[in-house]
Amino acid sequence: MLLPELVTGSDRSALRFPGAELTYRELARLTGHLAGRLRGRNRVAVWATPTLETCVAVVGALVAGVPVVPLNPRIGERELAHILADSAPEVVLSAPDVELPGPLAELPRLPVLATPADTPPPSAPAEPDGETPAFIVYTSGTTGPPKGVVLPRRALATNLDALAEAWAWTADDVLVHGLPLFHVHGLILGVVGPLRRGCSLRHLGRFSTEAAGAELARDATMLFGVPTMYHRLAADCAADPALAAAVARARLLVSGSAALPATDHARIAELTGQRVVERYGMTETLMNCSVRADGDRRPGAVGPPLPGVDLRLVDDSGAPLGTGNARGDGETVGEIEVRGPNLFLGYLNRPDATAEAMRGGWFRTGDMAVRDPDGYVRIVGRRATDLIKSGGYKIGAGEIENALLEHPAVAEAAVTGEPDEDLGERIVAWVVPAGAPPDAAELTDHVARLLAPHKRPRVVRFRESLPRNEMGKVLKRALDG
Ligand code: MLC
Ligand code: AMP
């Protein structure tokens, strides 16, 4: 059973957002009613605002066994049209007072309430099989529009249990975070995770170091965040001893979705005595590695593979490095491949892309790493330069280039990622204008409107031409500031 705590239905706090809270009993009642209305649907879209309603919608669908397509509430028109056409949800779930954009507003809508009804819900349907899809999460590739990653229930259950084992995560913990609820990190680890453990989640609605500090000062024991959040936490702890004292109280600070710079790890350790635990995952595989709560929390390492996850490094020809591969030499770089119950079922409607991502049952992550003699994995880079990680979001250069080329003032465009202290990488657009150069902000807004605000370039550089090879392909490495 994916969420056993809903059967027990205790009076412990399950979910708290600013101004709204539900106990497990109330959550069970609300989601039981919703599941009754959802039963038999093929797929539901959830307008995934950082609210209690989003959690109720998602859990209701999980109880009903109906796969959820979480949508970024700031999604742009081009990306929304693609996801709706690709995933064909039958119905959309959102809080009742939300205005939905055109194509979504045309779908039948089930309003989700955060006020428990008095009446008992209909009897729960049988627990769906572990291979039943739980989520379809959209993630960017190097080219083209995002692909729908189909995640089965067994991947969630096994992966969350492996994390619980590694982190000694129990019902006594109180988790705090301010992550978005339309990606694996915030939604699966950050909402389904605590509900599977029977522990309490305090969601900040919107991340700020101050709000995170206030929860840690009260009673939160664990914090989840992307490296950008820890970078901001380090800076603010340096200026605010009370914040540093609050962070010092935590049982576990966990960072993931991108590499945590060693400097931020060291600054937090110095200011708070806390060594951040890093874990490494992907939408397609959920979590692959993590430093254990009782393990050596050294900077720059994502720890050993989680229980149940097979991990190997392969060379350019696909041959595994070393023997047995549980230990490494700490030097030889290879691509990470993983296998185990944590893997997705495939990309929705894209058997070609699914086949390309697999090699004999192993998933090819595209991440380059070395393995230390004690089995720890250190990620050193990525195979594709056209994938950018900014603020922990994965963004494909191709989708931004296509959006830029749709603007009438753009003749040619190339997109790259540049190191950024706060975001890890920032998106840079290199543009050959079709006439007089447009305002940079106009291009930025154009991308935000078509795709999503987090995919907007942070820097626009105008050029008279782009460096290209004889085949006409842009030489991105030859672009410089
Ligand atoms: C700015 N905004 C615009 C805009 N420019 N809106 C429309 N048009 C424009 N041109 C708005 C934004 O919507 C937002 O609104 C505000 O301005 C600031 O936006 P931002 O600059 O993008 O925010 P920023 O401070 O950069 O965000 C940092 C961050 C965020 C860390 C909070 O990047 C974040 O939440 N990252 C988490 C990503 C994540 O969860 N990844 C997990 C992927 S799963 P407003 O109203 O908010 O002010 C994965 C697997 C794994 O990777 O291993 O976990
Ligand atoms: P996504 O496709 O959004 O799920 O992002 C997955 C990618 O995030 C991985 O392939 C890695 O490149 C990156 N990633 C996740 N966690 C870490 C980490 N701890 N260190 C370095 N990179 C990470």
Side-chain angles (χ1 to χ4, degrees), residues 237-317:
C237 282
D240 179 358
L243 179 63
V247 174
R249 292 168 46 115
R251 185 177 74 76
L252 204 65
L253 309 179
V254 185
S255 174
S257 302
L260 180 71
T263 45
D264 288 325
H265 180 106
R267 280 175 84 197
I268 291 172
E270 201 178 296
L271 293 161
T272 70
Q274 289 279 350
R275 302 189 78 90
V276 177
V277 158
E278 249 197 288
R279 96 293 181 286
Y280 154 68
M282 267 187 102
T283 305
E284 290 89 334
T285 64
L286 301 182
M287 300 306 110
N288 296 309
C289 295
S290 182
V291 173
R292 296 176 58 88
D294 59 2
D296 177 14
R297 304 180 183 189
R298 55 182 187 261
V302 296
L306 285 165
V309 177
D310 277 344
L311 181 145
R312 66 181 189 183
L313 300 183
V314 301
D315 67 15
D316 284 346
S317 69

Side-chain angles (χ1 to χ4, degrees), residues 183-365:
H183 278 306
V184 156
H185 194 168
L187 187 57
I188 298 184
L189 270 62
V191 174
V192 187
L195 295 179
R196 181 163 172 84
R197 294 278 74 77
C199 89
S200 300
L201 167 66
R202 308 283 161 74
H203 194 284
L204 304 173
R206 180 198 169 113
F207 176 79
S208 73
T209 58
E210 193 191 356
E215 293 298 341
L216 291 168
R218 194 168 302 136
D219 60 356
T221 61
M222 298 170 83
L223 172 67
F224 288 177
V226 296
T228 301
M229 295 171 180
Y230 285 104
H231 179 76
R232 295 178 185 180
L233 203 57
D236 291 352
C237 282
D240 179 358
L243 179 63
V247 174
R249 292 168 46 115
R251 185 177 74 76
L252 204 65
L253 309 179
V254 185
S255 174
S257 302
L260 180 71
T263 45
D264 288 325
H265 180 106
R267 280 175 84 197
I268 291 172
E270 201 178 296
L271 293 161
T272 70
Q274 289 279 350
R275 302 189 78 90
V276 177
V277 158
E278 249 197 288
R279 96 293 181 286
Y280 154 68
M282 267 187 102
T283 305
E284 290 89 334
T285 64
L286 301 182
M287 300 306 110
N288 296 309
C289 295
S290 182
V291 173
R292 296 176 58 88
D294 59 2
D296 177 14
R297 304 180 183 189
R298 55 182 187 261
V302 296
L306 285 165
V309 177
D310 277 344
L311 181 145
R312 66 181 189 183
L313 300 183
V314 301
D315 67 15
D316 284 346
S317 69
L321 293 178
T323 50
N325 223 21
R327 305 271 180 268
D329 60 8
E331 281 175 21
T332 316
V333 176
E335 180 180 347
I336 300 177
E337 293 191 344
V338 291
R339 175 173 83 169
N342 53 317
L343 257 55
F344 70 146
L345 293 170
Y347 296 111
L348 187 68
N349 304 322
R350 294 292 308 274
D352 56 324
T354 309
E356 204 181 312
M358 304 298 297
R359 190 196 325 256
W362 294 82
F363 178 78
R364 308 160 68 176
T365 64

Side-chain angles (χ1 to χ4, degrees), residues 392-438:
Y393 286 114
K394 183 153 86 177
I395 301 153
E399 57 182 324
I400 307 173
E401 289 161 0
N402 290 340
L404 286 167
L405 287 170
E406 280 191 41
H407 193 283
V410 175
E412 296 175 45
V415 166
T416 57
E418 240 172 37
D420 185 281
E421 249 193 33
D422 181 47
L423 296 171
E425 287 182 281
R426 61 175 164 264
I427 300 172
V428 181
W430 306 80
V431 170
V432 177

Side-chain angles (χ1 to χ4, degrees), residues 1-4 6 58-68 125-135 150-161 188 192 196 286 341-345:
M1 178 168 281
L2 189 56
L3 297 169
L6 289 183
V58 164
V59 174
L62 288 175
V63 171
V66 179
V68 172
E127 179 76 9
D129 180 82
E131 296 309 300
T132 308
F135 288 102
V150 186
L151 290 163
R153 299 169 77 93
R154 58 96 178 128
L156 273 62
T158 59
N159 207 237
L160 292 170
D161 290 353
I188 298 184
V192 187
R196 181 163 172 84
L286 301 182
N342 53 317
L343 257 55
F344 70 146
L345 293 170

